[in-house]
Amino acid sequence: MGIKTKQVQAISPNNNQFKDSKINWDVLNQASTISASRWEAKAEKLFEKGDLSGTIPLLETAIKSYAVRGDLYGQIRALRNLALVYLKLGKWQNAQAVINNCLNLIQQISNPQKTAQLTASVLEVKGQLLLSIGQAEAALNTWKEASQIYQEIENYLGLTRSNINQAQALQALGLYSQAFKQLEITKENLQDQPDTIVKAKVLQSLGDVLRGIGQVKASQKVLESSLAIAENLQATEEIAIILISLGNTFILLENPEAANLFYQGAIEESPVAEIKIQAILNQLNLFVQQKQYFAATESVKNIDNLLNKLPSSQVAIYARINLAQSLIELQKIVLANGNNKPLYSTEKIADYLVKAVQQAKNLGDIRAESYALGNLGKLYEHNQQLNEAKDLTEKALNLAQAINAADIVYQWKWQLGRILTAQENKEDAILAYSQAVETIRTLRSDIVAVSSELKFDFRDSVEPIYRELVDLLLQPSEYGQKDIINQENLRKARKAIEALQLAKLDNFFRNACLDAQPVEIDRVDKNAAIFYTIVLGDRLAVILAIPEQPLISYTTNISKLEVESTVQNLLDAMANPQKRIFIENYWEPAQKVYNWLINPIEKQLEANQIKTLVFVLEGTLRNVPLASLYDGEKYLAQKYNVAIAPSLELIDPQPLARNKLEILSMGITESRQGFPPLPNVRKELEDIQNQTSSEILLNESFTEKKANTEVANTTYQVIHIATHGEFSSNVEDTFILTWDEKIDVEELRNMIRSGIQQTRPIELLVLSACRTAAGDNRATLGLAGIAVRAGARSTIASLWYVSDQATAALMKNLYQQLTNPEITKAEALRRAQQQILKDAQTGIINPEFEHPYFWSTFILVGNWL
C-alpha cells in the first residue's frame, strides 16, 4: 500500500485555480490615459509581490480615471483585473459585482470584434468564480461559452486556456474521462506548435487528470514532458507547479523519496509564496505519514514564516487549515506511540484554525469558514471535549448547508455522528450517519474526484462512514427480547453495505459509472440466500437474506486482525507447495471461516431449501475461495452452489438462455510479452468448440482489433478468454494479455460492447488463466471491476493461476454443464468443480488436482441464474 498523504489540492479544491489567474494586463485594448496606465502598472507590481489588498485602491483609481475619460476598454480591463484580485482574496460577492459591471459595460460597445474578445475574457474570470463557490457545472458551461467565442474570433491562445479550465471543472464534477478527452484533444492541437508555457500547462493538467483516473505511470511521463518545456522556457513559477504535481504522482508510485525531492525542488524553485507554501504543506504531510518528526518540525517553522508574510486571502486560510490537519494527525501518531507529550499543543493548533475562521469571516468566505470551524471541532473531538466539538461541528454544518456545499456537508455529518456516538446518543448518531451516507449517494461523482487523488485515501475519507453506521445499526437493542436487532435497522444496515460496495467500485473506476437498481431477492431466485458480511473493529457481522423471511443477523466476536490472519493462513496453505502436501494445513483455517459464515445458520438454509449461496463480501474475505470452505467432512461446493455479487443492486436478474450457445473463444498458447506459454489452451478451446458452437481466435489472431471485428459481426452469448491477466486494486494494473498488447478494463468493455449487432448483454464472460495481484489484499476489486465494467451479466474468473492442464479439465466440464438448460450457471460451475474433485479421487486425472487449490480458484461473479 502506498503512503497516504493529504495533498493540498485534495483539501482545498480552489487552490489550483489561481495558478492560471495571473493578471493578463495586456489582453485587451491598450488605449488608456498615461495616468491610469501608471496606476495599473503600480497595481501589477503589488500583485506580483502578493500585496492583494494594496492592489485594490490602485485599480479603483485607474477605473475612475478611465470612466471620467470615457475609455470603456481600459475601464473593463481594469475591472476584470479587479475581479481577479477579489477572487484571489475570496471576496466572492465583490468579484461577482465587478464581473456583472464588466458585462454591462460591454453592452455599450458597438464593435462586435472587440465585444467578443472582452466578453470571452470576462467569462474566463466568471468561470473561476463559479468554480470557487462550488458551482462546477455552471463554471463548465461558462467556459464552454468562452471557448466558443474564442474559436469564432480565432483566438487560439484564449481557446486553449478555456479548454484547460473546462478540464478543471470536469474534474471537480468527477468526470475524469471527459477531462482526459478534452485535454488529449488540446494536446494534439498543440503537438506541432512551438513550446510555450500554455503547452506546458496543458500537459501539466493532463498529468493531473491521468493521476486522477489511476494511470499513474502515464501521469509521470506527461508531467516530465511538461517539466522539460517549462525548464527550457525558464518559467520558474510553472516549473514549481509541475514539480508539485510530480511529487503527488510519485506518492502513488510508492516512491516517497522521489516525491520529497520534487516537493523540495518546488520549494526552492518557486518565486511565489503561495506555491511555496503548497509544496511545503505536501512535504509536511509526507513527513507526518513517514513519522519523520524532526523534518516535520522544520517544515512547520518554514510554513509559519511564510504564513506571517501572506496577506489575508483564501490561500492563507486554507494553508492554516491544512497545517492544522497535519498537526492533528501528527499529534495522533505521537500519542499512539505512547508519548504523552505531543510535539504541538492543542492550543497552538487551535490558534491556526481560529485565525483561519476570523480571516474567512472578514473575507465573507462562508465555505472556508465552515471548513475551518469543522476542523476546529475535529480538534476538540480528538481531545474529548465533546460538547465544544458538537457545537463547532453544528455551526460548520449550518454554514455548509446554507451554501449547498454537499462535499463538506457529508464530512460534518460524519463528524457529528462520531461525536454523538461518543456521547452515547445512538439514535441521533444513526440519523447523522444516515444523512452523511445519503449525501455521499448524491455526490458519488464528486467523492470519486476527491478520493481518486490519493491511493486508498477512500479508506480514510469515505469507507469508514459506512462501517461506523453499520456498526451502530447492528448493535443489539432491547425490544422485548435481549440481543435482538429490529428489522428496520437490519434493512438500513443491508442498504449501507450495498451502498459501500457501489462506492468502492466507483472509486476503482475513478468515475461514478455504475447504474444501480435495487433488486428484491425473491424476484431473483427463491432458492438463493444472500450473505452480507462486514468486518468491524471487534467482530465479524453477517446479515442473511432468505426469500420471504425476515432478515437474520449474527456476529462472531473476533478482531479484524484475527480475521485477516486466518484468511492469510488459508491463502498460504493454498499458495505454498510445501503446505499443500498436507491438506490439514488448509482444512483448519477453511473450517474456521466456515464456522463464521455458514455454521450458525445452516439449519435455516436447509429448512428453506436453499440451493445457492450468494455472498456480498468486503474486506479480506473477498480473497477467500468460498467453494472450498470446509465443514469438517465436506467442502461448501459439495453442498451448495456459490456465487459472488459485487452488489445485489448490480445484478441483472435474467437467466441464461441456452437453446444454442454461441461462444467466442480467444487465447494464447505461446510465450508473449515476458509471460510463460500456456500449451493446454489450444486443447481447452478445442474442447469448448467440440461441445458448443464456438469461433476461435488463437495466438496471432487474438488481437484487440480482430476481437472487436468478430464481436461486431456476430451475436455471442459467451466470450471465453484463455490468457494471462491480472486483477489489481489499481485499475491501471488490471489487464488482459492479447497477442500484441495488454488491454485494460475500459478497452475490454469497448471490445465486448463494440458490435452494433450486440442487441443484448453478453451472458457470460470467462477469464481463464488470470489471477489476482500477488500481495494486493484488495485485488479482487479488479476482478469485480472487470466483471461489472465489461457489461456481461456474469463473469467466471480465477483468484489465482493454476496449471493450464487443470484449467482445461475444469473448463471442459463447465461447458458440458452449461449446455444443460435445467441448471443455473452457479450450479454448472459447482458440478464442474465436483467432477474435478471426483476424477482426481478416482485417478481419472492427476490425483494432485483433488486439492482445492486446483478446482476452487474459479469463482462466479454477478448473475448466478
Side-chain angles (χ1 to χ4, degrees):
M1 186 171 78
I3 292 173
K4 295 177 289 183
T5 171
K6 306 186 302 296
Q7 296 157 17
V8 173
Q9 50 270 53
I11 294 166
S12 170
N14 300 323
N15 282 354
N16 282 343
Q17 293 165 25
F18 299 107
K19 70 186 181 190
D20 296 324
S21 300
K22 184 176 180 181
I23 292 179
N24 189 346
W25 304 91
D26 301 312
V27 72
L28 307 176
N29 188 294
Q30 296 300 303
S32 62
T33 62
I34 294 175
S35 58
S37 296
R38 286 175 179 170
W39 291 119
E40 282 192 276
K42 288 181 180 180
E44 180 183 7
K45 289 180 181 178
L46 290 180
F47 183 89
E48 296 292 348
K49 292 178 181 178
D51 185 358
L52 302 177
S53 298
T55 304
I56 294 173
L58 295 175
L59 285 173
E60 287 176 339
T61 302
I63 291 163
K64 289 177 183 176
S65 178
Y66 287 130
V68 167
R69 298 174 187 274
D71 185 349
L72 281 176
Y73 299 120
Q75 192 177 351
I76 293 168
R77 182 184 62 245
L79 280 167
R80 174 191 181 275
N81 292 333
L82 179 60
L84 278 173
V85 173
Y86 281 135
L87 190 60
K88 199 162 187 178
L89 284 168
K91 294 187 174 183
W92 316 128
Q93 292 180 347
N94 298 64
Q96 182 65 67
V98 173
I99 290 169
N100 290 339
N101 194 5
C102 283
L103 294 172
N104 289 332
L105 288 173
I106 289 172
Q107 301 303 313
Q108 300 177 27
I109 298 176
S110 57
N111 186 324
Q113 183 75 11
K114 294 292 184 182
T115 300
Q117 174 71 34
L118 288 166
T119 302
S121 178
V122 174
L123 287 176
E124 280 192 74
V125 183
K126 183 180 179 180
Q128 291 179 26
L129 170 63
L130 290 167
L131 191 62
S132 297
I133 59 178
Q135 296 182 25
E137 190 168 352
L140 177 62
N141 292 331
T142 300
W143 282 324
K144 282 182 178 178
E145 188 180 347
S147 291
Q148 186 175 352
I149 295 171
Y150 280 134
Q151 188 153 11
E152 288 172 356
I153 63 176
E154 299 184 352
N155 182 335
Y156 296 113
L157 183 61
L159 177 62
T160 302
R161 282 200 313 270
S162 289
N163 287 341
I164 296 172
N165 289 334
Q166 285 180 56
Q168 188 182 348
L170 288 166
Q171 290 176 72
L173 289 167
L175 302 174
Y176 274 72
S177 296
Q178 290 186 37
F180 171 73
K181 290 175 184 176
Q182 177 89 27
L183 290 169
E184 268 289 304
I185 292 170
T186 306
K187 186 188 83 168
E188 291 301 319
N189 291 338
L190 293 172
Q191 194 74 43
D192 299 326
Q193 299 297 317
D195 288 345
T196 61
I197 291 179
V198 170
K199 195 175 191 178
K201 287 179 183 292
V202 169
L203 291 171
Q204 186 254 327
S205 296
L206 180 59
D208 287 343
V209 170
L210 286 166
R211 184 175 64 248
I213 61 177
Q215 297 186 28
V216 189
K217 293 172 185 174
S219 170
Q220 176 193 349
K221 185 177 179 180
V222 170
L223 288 171
E224 286 173 346
S225 298
S226 175
L227 181 63
I229 294 172
E231 286 180 334
N232 186 49
L233 298 172
Q234 298 182 337
T236 54
E237 185 175 336
E238 189 60 29
I239 289 170
I241 292 168
I242 298 165
L243 288 172
I244 293 173
S245 287
L246 275 165
N248 298 343
T249 293
F250 271 80
I251 289 291
L252 300 193
L253 288 169
E254 300 185 17
N255 190 339
E257 292 81 10
N260 181 40
L261 289 175
F262 284 121
Y263 292 146
Q264 187 60 42
I267 293 166
E268 295 170 359
E269 186 76 29
S270 176
V272 180
E274 297 159 359
I275 299 173
K276 197 183 292 284
I277 284 180
Q278 183 176 330
I280 297 173
L281 282 166
N282 282 13
Q283 190 181 52
L284 170 61
N285 288 318
L286 185 59
F287 291 150
V288 169
Q289 294 302 324
Q290 290 195 297
K291 301 178 183 179
Q292 296 182 20
Y293 303 133
F294 177 77
T297 303
E298 290 302 307
S299 286
V300 174
K301 290 179 183 176
N302 291 334
I303 295 170
D304 264 339
N305 292 334
L306 285 169
L307 277 176
N308 292 332
K309 297 176 183 177
L310 274 186
S312 179
S313 66
Q314 188 190 53
V315 172
I317 294 167
Y318 279 106
R320 287 184 169 86
I321 294 170
N322 278 277
L323 176 56
Q325 287 182 319
S326 292
L327 295 180
I328 291 171
E329 291 303 313
L330 190 61
Q331 192 182 64
K332 286 180 184 177
I333 293 170
V334 171
L335 293 173
N337 290 337
N339 187 343
N340 293 324
K341 189 177 180 182
L343 298 176
Y344 295 93
S345 68
T346 299
E347 291 75 15
K348 182 174 179 61
I349 301 172
D351 283 344
Y352 289 120
L353 292 169
V354 168
K355 189 162 187 178
V357 170
Q358 191 57 53
Q359 286 186 341
K361 280 184 176 179
N362 292 341
L363 293 177
D365 189 342
I366 298 174
R367 183 185 178 90
E369 184 183 353
S370 171
Y371 214 78
L373 279 169
N375 277 281
L376 190 57
K378 183 179 180 181
L379 177 62
Y380 279 109
E381 177 199 1
H382 174 60
N383 286 280
Q384 297 298 305
Q385 295 173 264
L386 298 179
N387 290 332
E388 293 87 346
K390 181 172 177 287
D391 181 57
L392 287 163
T393 303
E394 287 174 338
K395 287 179 179 177
L397 179 59
N398 290 335
L399 288 171
Q401 288 174 327
I403 58 171
N404 296 316
D407 59 315
I408 52 177
V409 164
Y410 91 89
Q411 296 181 55
W412 305 149
K413 285 287 186 183
W414 174 26
Q415 187 162 292
L416 185 60
R418 295 196 307 267
I419 294 166
L420 290 166
T421 301
Q423 292 179 326
E424 299 183 354
N425 185 346
K426 180 180 174 182
E427 186 175 341
D428 288 345
I430 287 175
L431 178 61
Y433 273 107
S434 299
Q435 290 171 342
V437 167
E438 177 59 23
T439 304
I440 291 172
R441 187 190 65 79
T442 64
L443 262 181
R444 277 172 65 189
S445 62
D446 293 328
I447 295 302
V448 170
V450 171
S451 60
S452 64
E453 185 65 27
L454 309 176
K455 189 175 185 182
F456 299 154
D457 182 61
F458 177 84
R459 288 179 171 181
D460 301 322
S461 62
V462 179
E463 190 172 330
I465 304 174
Y466 297 90
R467 292 185 180 282
E468 290 164 18
L469 172 58
V470 173
D471 195 352
L472 277 173
L473 290 167
L474 295 185
Q475 289 175 6
S477 302
E478 294 191 18
Y479 287 87
Q481 298 181 53
K482 195 173 182 180
D483 297 332
I484 297 295
I485 301 170
N486 68 63
Q487 285 292 305
E488 180 61 25
N489 279 1
L490 285 178
R491 283 191 289 271
K492 288 179 180 177
R494 176 187 178 182
K495 185 178 178 181
I497 294 172
E498 284 275 5
L500 174 58
Q501 304 311 311
L502 290 172
K504 285 180 180 178
L505 286 168
D506 280 343
N507 182 249
F508 174 80
F509 292 124
R510 303 297 194 264
N511 203 351
C513 56
L514 305 177
D515 184 17
Q517 298 293 333
V519 175
E520 293 295 329
I521 178 178
D522 297 35
R523 188 165 68 88
V524 177
D525 186 355
K526 291 185 179 296
N527 297 115
I530 315 295
F531 291 74
Y532 296 88
T533 70
I534 188 160
V535 182
L536 303 172
D538 58 352
R539 66 199 193 280
L540 168 63
V542 182
I543 298 174
L544 176 65
I546 295 177
E548 300 178 355
Q549 297 293 323
L551 293 172
I552 300 169
S553 74
Y554 50 98
T555 62
T556 303
N557 294 324
I558 184 173
S559 69
K560 180 181 178 183
L561 183 62
E562 188 173 348
V563 172
E564 291 175 347
S565 64
T566 301
V567 170
Q568 191 57 55
N569 289 339
L570 183 151
L571 297 176
D572 287 344
M574 284 282 198
N576 189 323
Q578 298 299 320
K579 290 186 177 182
R580 279 205 302 271
I581 295 173
F582 302 102
I583 189 63
E584 292 80 7
N585 289 330
Y586 178 75
W587 281 347
E588 183 182 350
Q591 190 167 0
K592 255 190 177 182
V593 180
Y594 186 97
N595 289 338
W596 295 342
L597 301 182
I598 311 300
N599 189 54
I601 43 75
E602 192 132 31
K603 290 181 180 178
Q604 288 95 320
L605 297 177
E606 292 171 2
N608 287 277
Q609 299 180 328
I610 297 300
K611 295 180 180 179
T612 303
L613 310 184
V614 182
F615 293 87
V616 180
L617 299 169
E618 67 86 41
T620 189
L621 290 172
R622 283 190 300 258
N623 299 327
V624 174
L626 295 166
S628 62
L629 295 184
Y630 191 64
D631 70 357
E633 295 180 1
K634 293 182 178 180
Y635 295 108
L636 195 62
Q638 294 175 289
K639 301 161 69 174
Y640 298 100
N641 308 322
V642 178
I644 305 295
S647 165
L648 200 63
E649 293 187 5
L650 295 174
I651 297 298
D652 182 1
Q654 301 296 324
L656 172 61
R658 280 170 284 189
N659 296 330
K660 184 181 178 182
L661 286 181
E662 297 285 343
I663 300 171
L664 174 61
S665 298
M666 301 177 277
I668 297 174
T669 62
E670 301 178 19
S671 174
R672 299 296 294 175
Q673 303 180 53
F675 288 85
L678 297 168
N680 281 282
V681 161
R682 183 183 296 275
K683 183 178 185 304
E684 178 181 330
L685 302 190
E686 288 175 349
D687 283 342
I688 294 171
Q689 190 175 49
N690 290 335
Q691 298 172 79
T692 63
S693 175
S694 172
E695 183 70 26
I696 294 178
L697 298 180
L698 188 65
N699 292 332
E700 61 270 13
S701 296
F702 177 31
T703 64
E704 184 181 1
K705 183 178 180 180
K706 289 184 178 180
N708 283 335
T709 301
E710 185 62 37
V711 173
N713 293 329
T714 309
T715 300
Y716 291 103
Q717 293 166 284
V718 179
I719 291 182
H720 183 102
I721 304 177
T723 182
H724 291 287
E726 189 158 294
F727 313 125
S728 168
S729 59
N730 185 350
V731 69
E732 187 179 35
D733 297 325
T734 297
F735 66 88
I736 303 293
L737 191 73
T738 64
W739 179 254
D740 54 353
E741 60 186 328
K742 296 175 183 176
I743 62 174
D744 60 25
V745 177
E746 193 63 21
E747 289 166 334
L748 181 65
R749 171 182 180 270
N750 292 335
M751 175 195 294
I752 290 176
R753 295 183 174 181
S754 62
I756 56 174
Q757 296 185 37
Q758 291 292 349
T759 55
R760 61 175 184 262
I762 295 295
E763 294 285 353
L764 178 63
L765 170 67
V766 181
L767 300 171
S768 174
C770 300
R771 64 172 189 172
T772 52
D776 185 345
N777 63 7
R778 287 162 53 94
T780 44
L781 270 179
L783 195 160
I786 279 186
V788 171
R789 193 64 171 149
R793 285 195 170 119
S794 312
T795 299
I796 292 178
S798 52
L799 290 169
W800 57 83
Y801 170 69
V802 296
S803 72
D804 60 332
Q805 182 185 355
T807 299
L810 188 139
M811 288 300 161
K812 180 179 179 180
N813 293 333
L814 174 65
Y815 282 95
Q816 283 177 344
Q817 298 299 332
L818 282 173
T819 58
N820 182 353
E822 301 299 321
I823 64 174
T824 65
K825 286 175 276 190
E827 187 167 353
L829 178 59
R830 179 173 76 89
R831 289 185 181 187
Q833 292 171 327
Q834 284 181 312
Q835 192 64 49
I836 292 292
L837 189 57
K838 181 180 177 181
D839 289 349
Q841 289 170 340
T842 57
I844 296 175
I845 60 175
N846 189 337
E848 188 181 9
F849 293 173
E850 181 182 356
H851 195 286
Y853 172 78
F854 292 96
W855 55 263
S856 70
T857 178
F858 283 95
I859 63 173
L860 174 65
V861 182
N863 182 319
W864 61 90
L865 298 176

